[in-house]
C-alpha cells in the first residue's frame, strides 16, 4: 500500500525519472494515486509523494473548479508561462501549512496521457496553479522553498516539534 511521504523524506528532494513504459502497472499506479489524493482531500499528488521517483502526477481540482475532474499527467513539461497570480497553497507532504505563493497565471503544457499519447494544452486558474506545484515535486522542489528564509525556518521548526 502506498503511503504519503512527509517533508524530511529524502525522496521529496530527488529529481524524478522520465516514464517510458505505458503499461498496466502505470495505469494502476495512477489510479491508486487518485484514490489516495481523494482519501486525503488533496487536489493534486505527484508520484514522489508516494515514494515513487517518476514523472507522474494526478490532479482533481473539482473542489475548487467544477469544470475539471480527475486527470493524469505523465512526463509533463511547461513550454510557456505568462502572467502572475498569488494563491494560498498547501501540500499533502507538508501537513497543516498553508501559505501564499506567486506563480504564473497561465501555462502551456506538454504531457503524455497514461497510454502515452502526446498532448499540448493551455491551462489557467487552479489547473495552472496545481500543475506548477506538482511539476515542482518532480524536480524535488516544495512550495515552502518560495517563502522567505525566516518563514521557512519557522515552518521547519514547528514541524520538527510536532
Ligand atoms: Co505538494
Amino acid at each position: 500500500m502506498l503511503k504519503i511521504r512527509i517533508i524530511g523524506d529524502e525522496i521529496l528532494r530527488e529529481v524524478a525519472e522520465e516514464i517510458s513504459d505505458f503499461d498496466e502497472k502505470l495505469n494502476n499506479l495512477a489510479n491508486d494515486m487518485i484514490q489516495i489524493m481523494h482519501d486525503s482531500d488533496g487536489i493534486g499528488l505527484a508520484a514522489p509523494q508516494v515514494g515513487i521517483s517518476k514523472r507522474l502526477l494526478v490532479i482533481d481540482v473539482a473542489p475548487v473548479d467544477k469544470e475539471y475532474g480527475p486527470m493524469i499527467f505523465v512526463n509533463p513539461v511547461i513550454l510557456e508561462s505568462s502572467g502572475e497570480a498569488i494563491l494560498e497553497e498547501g501540500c499533502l507532504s507538508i501537513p497543516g501549512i498553508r501559505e501564499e505563493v506567486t506563480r504564473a497565471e497561465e501555462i502551456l503544457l506538454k504531457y503524455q496521457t497514461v497510454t502515452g499519447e502526446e498532448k499540448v494544452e493551455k491551462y489557467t486558474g487552479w489547473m495552472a496553479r496545481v500543475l506548477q506545484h506538482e511539476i515542482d515535486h518532480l524536480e524535488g522542489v516544495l512550495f515552502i522553498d518560495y517563502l522567505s528564509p525566516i518563514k521557512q525556518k519557522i515552518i521547519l521548526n514547528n514541524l520538527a516539534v510536532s
Side-chain angles (χ1 to χ4, degrees):
M1 191 59 202
L2 301 171
K3 251 188 76 186
I4 292 180
R5 304 297 181 95
I6 302 301
I7 188 168
D9 192 314
E10 276 172 26
I11 201 159
L12 294 174
R13 292 305 191 176
E14 287 173 15
V15 176
E17 266 175 46
E18 196 90 4
I19 290 172
S20 52
D21 292 333
F22 295 84
D23 52 11
E24 208 188 310
K25 225 176 121 185
L26 179 67
N27 189 52
N28 290 341
L29 171 61
N31 285 312
D32 286 349
M33 283 171 57
I34 288 172
Q35 184 75 54
I36 293 168
M37 171 178 67
H38 284 154
D39 289 348
S40 315
D41 293 321
I43 55 175
L45 187 66
Q49 291 183 275
V50 291
I52 295 163
S53 197
K54 293 205 168 147
R55 304 187 82 82
L56 167 67
L57 320 172
V58 298
I59 293 179
D60 187 351
V61 295
V64 283
D65 183 351
K66 286 201 184 87
E67 225 181 285
Y68 295 95
M71 293 173 82
I72 300 165
F73 297 89
V74 182
N75 300 324
V77 178
I78 294 170
L79 300 175
E80 286 168 30
S81 54
S82 60
E84 211 177 83
I86 302 171
L87 281 172
E88 203 181 67
E89 293 187 17
C91 180
L92 293 175
S93 295
I94 315 173
I97 306 295
R98 298 192 65 82
E99 293 287 344
E100 284 186 339
V101 180
T102 305
R103 296 191 190 265
E105 153 97 292
E106 186 173 279
I107 59 168
L108 185 66
L109 186 82
K110 180 179 89 171
Y111 69 97
Q112 283 169 284
T113 66
V114 76
T115 54
E117 192 190 336
E118 293 219 15
K119 293 205 170 192
V120 175
E121 309 248 21
K122 200 178 261 185
Y123 289 105
T124 182
W126 277 103
M127 275 303 292
R129 168 62 51 153
V130 179
L131 278 161
Q132 290 172 85
H133 175 118
E134 301 308 332
I135 289 169
D136 271 355
H137 275 299
L138 306 181
E139 298 300 322
V141 174
L142 301 173
F143 83 95
I144 61 165
D145 299 350
Y146 296 106
L147 306 177
S148 70
I150 290 171
K151 241 177 189 173
Q152 288 184 44
K153 212 176 162 201
I154 293 167
I155 288 169
L156 293 173
N157 285 343
N158 285 342
L159 287 168
V161 295
S162 64

